[in-house]
Amino acid sequence: MNAPGLSLRLRISLVAAAVIAVFFVLTATLLERAFRENAEDAVTTRLDAQLLLLMGIVEVSGAREVQLPEILPDPRLALPGGGVYARILDAGGATLWRSPSALGTRLEDWDDDGFFERRMTVQWELPGQLVPLTFQVLEERDAYDAQMERYRRTLWGALGLLTILLISGQALALGLWGLRPLRRVRADLDALRQGEHRRLGGPYPHEIQTLTDSINALLEFEGARLERQKHALADLAHSLKTPLSALRLGIEGPSAERRELLLQIERMQDMIQHELNQAQRLGPSPFQPPVAVAPVIERTGSALRRIADQHGVELAMSLQPECTLRIDTGALFELLGNLLDNAIRHARAQVRVGLTCSGRRLELTVDDDGPGIDGADREAVLRRGARRDTRPGGQGLGLHIVHTLVRDHGGELHIEQAPELGGARIRMVFTQS
């Protein structure tokens, strides 16, 4: 039996969770990138504005003489370590002026990666000459990095929470509503197995309706096929019984050869009757309704009690009344009839029948105080036609039929020694789905 795979609900939930997670990761990545680009553009625009303002307030009186007022466009330029720095360079790169905020800052650090930097070189027109000046403005990245970190935590935290809520909502909606039609199909199948319905009802959603229609068609086809097989086997059995009866009447007599022929004819008739009984049963089916086993055992025991009395055998029963088994009633009667008849014929004085069940497990035992069955013979007696005694009336089919019926209905048959009576114990174990 193949191990069950992942449930449909789990598969859909995993796929949906993966899609939602990938979507939000991509969304968060794109939003973070867009915010970073916008923030960098804002800083660049602000620095460009600072350059233009500095150009507007600077006074150039010579090639190396520049002056700026005490009040600068950005108050941070006037504060030492204010985070925004500015300077003016001549054509050779020498610093002509730098903002008070740059006090204590080494000039070689102005090209460090820790700053946003904008610069612009202009030709300043003076009487009779053009003076090249380079205006440079820097802003520390610390404030920008802190802003990006806050945005990143807020963005990923919010999207992570939203992802969890969406996955939880999707799983809840899938369980409460999305898979409800499949639960209906499962309930209808259970009712079908219990024998409460003969086909799956509906209506179901279109995707499931196709499946249930196919199951109903299969059930109808199998039912019709079994019915044809029953009729064919019944016709064959009845066709054979008439010529066999005529043959039996024709050879009746006292001679030993005729008695042997009559014995073989009786054996053939028993086999035909067995196959006829088989034809009248539906056979093991997953949709077989469960049968209460104890009443069938009691009825079989009542039918065989007269035979037990003739053999001087006491028939005792210890039955758990709530035990049920998925088996055709006719098959159960045949199983018990062969089993008890075999035990009564071999017992000296006692036969005990036990029935117990727990959960999905049912156990049926038949003990006798007869000679028992040796370990070497236990496998052989289950074969068709095998016999351990030579007493008349047996055809070697009893235990074979029992074994076949037990096996066909998913059970196991064990031949053991009866713990109290000392004879044979036939123990059958069924595990039901």
Side-chain angles (χ1 to χ4, degrees), residues 170-432:
Q170 175 263 339
L172 186 62
L174 182 65
L176 295 179
W177 182 74
L179 295 180
R180 182 180 297 175
L182 291 180
R183 289 197 294 271
R184 282 186 53 205
V185 172
R186 179 178 178 179
D188 290 346
L189 282 172
D190 288 340
L192 193 64
R193 295 179 62 187
Q194 297 292 337
E196 299 174 6
H197 303 301
R198 302 300 300 173
R199 66 194 313 274
L200 294 175
Y204 305 105
H206 172 71
E207 297 82 0
I208 301 178
Q209 187 70 50
T210 303
L211 173 63
T212 55
D213 289 344
S214 299
I215 293 176
N216 285 330
L218 179 61
L219 290 172
E220 293 173 0
F221 172 79
E222 287 297 319
R225 185 173 66 86
L226 287 173
E227 194 67 24
R228 289 195 300 269
Q229 289 178 349
K230 287 197 300 181
H231 291 316
L233 289 174
D235 292 343
L236 175 62
H238 285 296
S239 298
L240 291 174
K241 287 178 70 176
T242 300
L244 283 174
S245 298
L247 181 61
R248 180 178 181 179
L249 291 174
I251 62 174
E252 285 184 344
S255 68
E257 292 182 359
R258 290 183 177 181
R259 285 197 300 271
E260 178 61 26
L261 287 175
L262 285 174
L263 182 61
Q264 295 301 323
I265 291 175
E266 288 178 358
R267 183 175 182 182
M268 292 173 65
Q269 287 179 324
D270 288 339
M271 294 172 66
I272 291 172
Q273 186 61 45
H274 168 66
E275 297 302 329
L276 182 59
N277 292 338
Q278 292 281 84
Q280 297 301 320
R281 294 198 306 267
L282 292 176
S285 169
F287 303 111
Q288 179 70 45
V291 174
V293 180
V296 180
I297 297 177
E298 292 173 349
R299 290 171 59 186
T300 306
S302 298
L304 295 175
R305 202 170 297 277
R306 183 176 179 181
I307 299 176
D309 293 340
Q310 291 176 353
H311 285 77
V313 174
E314 177 188 357
L315 184 59
M317 298 183 182
S318 176
L319 310 177
Q320 198 170 327
E322 66 272 16
C323 298
T324 60
L325 182 64
R326 294 186 185 280
I327 188 172
D328 179 71
T329 305
L332 184 56
F333 271 117
E334 184 172 4
L335 183 152
L336 293 169
N338 281 282
L339 198 58
L340 294 180
D341 178 72
N342 190 71
I344 291 171
R345 286 191 298 107
H346 290 88
R348 295 187 178 94
Q350 293 186 63
V351 171
R352 295 180 185 177
V353 182
L355 174 66
T356 59
C357 55
S358 176
R360 298 189 304 158
R361 187 176 187 274
L362 181 144
E363 182 172 300
L364 175 63
T365 58
V366 177
D367 297 352
D368 64 63
D369 61 351
I373 303 175
D374 295 334
D377 297 329
R378 290 175 181 176
E379 183 177 351
V381 296
L382 298 179
R383 292 196 295 267
R384 187 182 186 93
R387 300 183 62 191
R388 296 181 61 252
D389 62 355
T390 57
R391 285 177 288 185
Q395 306 299 333
L397 295 175
L399 285 180
H400 168 74
I401 293 173
V402 171
H403 182 240
T404 300
L405 289 171
V406 171
R407 182 189 57 200
D408 287 349
H409 289 83
E412 298 178 357
L413 186 146
H414 305 275
I415 300 178
E416 304 167 351
Q417 182 178 2
E420 296 183 6
L421 300 184
R425 160 172 280 191
I426 307 299
R427 183 170 64 90
M428 292 150 288
V429 180
F430 298 89
T431 302
Q432 306 179 85

